[in-house]
Amino acid sequence: MPPDHNLDDYVDAYEHGHRHGGPLRVGLGGPVGSGKTALAAALCRTLGAEYDLAVVTNDIYTTEDADFLRRNAVLPDDRIEAVQTGCCPHTAIRDDITANLDAVELLEARHPGLELVLVESGGDNLTASFSYGLVDVQVFVVDVAGGDKVPRKGGPGVTASDLLVVNKTDLAPLVGADLDVMRRDSAVVRGDKPTLLISLREDPAATEVAEWVRAQVRARQLQQA
Ligand SMILES: Nc1nc2c(ncn2[C@@H]2O[C@H](COP(=O)(O)OP(=O)(O)O)[C@@H](O)[C@H]2O)c(=O)[nH]1
Ligand SMILES: [Mg+2]
């Protein structure tokens, strides 16, 4: 448990983190526009036939991300739940996670064999991170268009997430971002924790991220065996 989490997180993690059975819950966080919904869609396409899978989306005032996933038919409608936060998106994934827990539990009740739930944050800034009472592991998605200084600037999403994804590498030449700098700075601030530089435009299957998710599912299943 990261040291910067508050007491409520400890209580939540105790109540929910030590759940027996139930799906692996993966948080997808990161700034607006970095590619969280595109990544959720990619993971559904790649892993949807492999795992019993569902998604929770968070939007501030709309259900746009859930609508996008439904329109693109990446999963059946009854496997996609939208939470309308009506407030700062990070509050709903960190401080008052009730609406998100309700959505996850609804999906679990509807699909008793559920193995994997993706929870996409509404997107905020570099400070947004999930409560470990809500998710088991979290992926933080930034993009190359934000500039190659982003990993160096840190923030809990960049430094403490279980996986950092730097998306839109196809745009690097257009925005003058140096991928080697982003790779090196990420390694400095993240230590041993993994970083993947990807382009969902070039690899719509999100192959490497899907492989990381598979490893997390395996780890959870072993833990519970
Ligand atoms: N060029 C490029 N655009 C991308 C890539 N991934 C996502 N996008 C686009 O970036 C925009 C924002 O993506 P979205 O998934 O909605 O971001 P979110 O706000 O983090 O959920 C959309 O127009 C996507 O099509 C990528 O790898 N390369
Ligand atoms: Mg989105």
Side-chain angles (χ1 to χ4, degrees), residues 5 16 21 35 46 92 125 154 189 191-192 195 208:
H5 279 223
H16 300 278
T46 305
N125 52 36
V189 297
D192 291 339
T195 300
E208 290 178 289

Side-chain angles (χ1 to χ4, degrees), residues 31-38 40 57-59 64-66 68 120-123:
V32 174
S34 62
K36 296 178 296 299
T37 304
T57 63
N58 278 252
D59 277 305
E64 188 152 339
D65 285 349
F68 175 89
E120 181 193 339
S121 140

Side-chain angles (χ1 to χ4, degrees), residues 8-68:
D8 285 345
D9 284 336
Y10 282 95
V11 173
D12 281 329
Y14 185 77
E15 287 177 351
H16 300 278
H18 299 280
R19 292 169 292 120
H20 272 284
L24 177 80
R25 301 172 181 180
V26 179
L28 304 176
V32 174
S34 62
K36 296 178 296 299
T37 304
L39 180 59
L43 292 173
C44 290
R45 278 191 297 263
T46 305
L47 299 174
E50 225 167 290
Y51 296 117
D52 198 329
L53 170 62
V55 180
V56 176
T57 63
N58 278 252
D59 277 305
I60 308 177
Y61 299 120
T62 66
T63 56
E64 188 152 339
D65 285 349
D67 296 341
F68 175 89

Side-chain angles (χ1 to χ4, degrees), residues 30-39 65 120 167-171 198-202:
V32 174
S34 62
K36 296 178 296 299
T37 304
L39 180 59
D65 285 349
E120 181 193 339
N167 185 31
K168 309 193 191 181
T169 53
D170 57 292
L171 296 181
I198 69 166
S199 165
L200 290 169
R201 186 62 47 90
E202 289 169 359

